[in-house]
């Protein structure tokens, strides 16, 4: 009897009992060894108590989990075979069984604003939102103490690490690629914990006030420069068009008269009280020539009169 108890105690106290080292960490699996004599005695006593207090013991033995929950049961500290229980009703043995509920629904949380120094030495404050859920209930309970808190800390650290390798322009324009990179990194890191990161989104990128003013001034100067270039190109094209129009009008003088008429029509449509009628100089050239001839004749007659008077 003494040898048997010593053997069971050695089996229970072995440092690698129920623990298997893998590439991703330590994996806990239900033990296939015998629970030991003390565990066997406690189990018998618990069943006897259940039978003795029946049906009142059902209040402690029967448990219910919701559709979106699972229960991981430990018997005398060991993971019970069969994995997680639920949804619905399951039974436990009081005094020797303990269980922990795990919610399988998607959980979202905000990543607090992180002060990040970008690759081009600009300090920005970035916050985001993470969506994750538990895909392996047993690992979420046995591999990590608090998977939710650990995922939050890892998300904040990953956000700083990923954005620290990007320029400010990339952070502002490539949010989708940054979110995909963060999701892949978080999903790989939380996979041994039984956690699946479904979505990562960057909510806001806050720039310093001085940097915002400098960027606004730079953008305004760039817009003004583009406006001046566009205006200069327009003037250049307009001058070429005017040159071509002048050549066409020079070939046909009547075209200039038609242009005058169109201008008068446009002025009259605006209901102005003053109308300016342009008179071509060519029409007055004949009268100017005749006026000059009459003036010369009058001058000659006056000179002749003066000469006659002298004589």
């Amino acid at each position: 009897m003494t040898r048997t108890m010593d053997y069971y105690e050695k089996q229970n106290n072995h440092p690698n009992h129920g623990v298997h080292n893998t590439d991703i960490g330590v994996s806990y699996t239900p033990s296939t060894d015998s629970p030991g004599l003390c565990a066997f005695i406690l189990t018998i006593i618990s069943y006897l108590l259940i039978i003795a207090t029946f049906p009142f013991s059902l209040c402690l033995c029967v448990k219910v989990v919701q559709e979106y929950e699972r229960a991981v049961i430990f018997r005398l500290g060991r993971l019970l075979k069969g994995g997680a229980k639920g949804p619905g009703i399951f039974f436990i043995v009081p005094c020797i069984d303990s269980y922990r509920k795990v919610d399988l629904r998607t959980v979202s949380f905000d990543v607090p604003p992180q002060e990040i120094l970008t690759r081009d030495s600009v300090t920005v404050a970035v916050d985001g939102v993470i969506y994750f859920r538990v895909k392996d209930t047993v690992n979420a309970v046995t591999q990590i103490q608090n998977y939710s808190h650990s995922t939050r800390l890892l998300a904040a650290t990953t956000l700083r690490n990923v954005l620290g390798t990007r320029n400010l322009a990339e952070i502002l324009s490539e949010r989708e690629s940054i979110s995909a990179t963060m999701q892949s990194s978080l999903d790989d890191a939380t996979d041994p914990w039984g956690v699946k990161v479904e979505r990562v989104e960057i909510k806001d990128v806050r720039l310093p006030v001085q940097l915002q003013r400098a960027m606004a001034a730079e953008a305004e100067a760039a817009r003004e420069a583009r406006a001046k270039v566009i205006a200069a190109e327009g003037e250049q094209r307009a001058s070429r068009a005017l040159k071509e129009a002048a050549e066409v009008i020079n070939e046909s003088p009547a075209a200039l008269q038609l242009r005058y008429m169109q201008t008068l029509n446009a002025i009259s449509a605006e209901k102005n009280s003053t109308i300016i009628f342009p008179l071509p100089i060519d029409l007055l050239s004949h009268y100017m020539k005749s006026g000059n001839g009459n003036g010369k004749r009058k001058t000659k007659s006056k000179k002749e009169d003066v000469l006659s008077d002298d004589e």
Side-chain angles (χ1 to χ4, degrees), residues 67-233:
E67 181 69 29
Y68 52 85
E69 293 177 335
R70 297 294 184 271
V72 179
I73 303 176
F74 296 90
R75 177 163 295 174
L76 294 175
R78 296 185 177 188
L79 183 63
L80 198 63
K81 295 180 181 180
K85 305 296 182 181
I89 299 174
F90 66 96
F91 296 89
I92 63 172
V93 180
C95 302
I96 62 173
D97 286 353
S98 62
Y99 70 97
R100 181 177 174 184
K101 291 183 180 180
V102 179
D103 197 331
L104 301 182
R105 293 176 293 182
T106 300
V107 180
S108 63
F109 67 90
D110 294 329
V111 179
Q114 304 293 319
E115 293 288 339
I116 300 170
L117 183 64
T118 61
R119 191 170 61 181
D120 50 355
S121 301
V122 178
T123 303
V124 295
V126 183
D127 57 352
V129 58
I130 310 294
Y131 298 87
F132 72 94
R133 62 178 175 85
V134 176
K135 67 175 182 179
D136 192 337
T137 309
V138 175
N139 286 341
V141 175
T142 59
Q143 294 289 337
I144 193 166
Q145 182 178 6
N146 190 338
Y147 65 87
S148 179
H149 181 66
S150 300
T151 304
R152 295 170 189 266
L153 294 179
L154 184 61
T157 305
T158 305
L159 180 64
R160 290 194 299 268
N161 294 338
V162 172
L163 296 184
T165 60
R166 301 295 183 97
N167 295 327
L168 178 61
E170 295 176 352
I171 295 175
L172 296 177
S173 61
E174 300 179 1
R175 294 192 178 186
E176 293 182 358
S177 62
I178 294 174
S179 299
T181 302
M182 287 185 57
Q183 179 181 354
S184 177
S185 178
L186 284 173
D187 196 18
D188 293 340
T190 58
D191 185 69
W193 305 342
V195 175
K196 171 67 176 177
V197 178
E198 295 181 340
R199 192 177 183 87
V200 178
E201 292 292 341
I202 296 177
K203 293 175 59 178
D204 189 19
V205 179
R206 301 175 185 176
L207 303 177
V209 178
Q210 296 180 354
L211 181 59
Q212 292 180 9
R213 293 176 180 175
M215 294 178 64
E218 181 183 0
E220 184 178 359
R223 287 194 297 269
E224 291 180 356
R226 287 196 299 268
K228 291 180 180 179
V229 171
I230 293 173
E233 292 177 354

Side-chain angles (χ1 to χ4, degrees), residues 10-21 26-33 78:
K10 290 180 180 179
Q11 289 291 331
N12 293 332
N13 295 329
H14 194 274
N16 294 327
H17 180 74
V19 180
H20 302 279
N21 294 323
V26 179
S27 177
Y28 294 87
T29 58
S31 177
T32 57
D33 299 335
R78 296 185 177 188

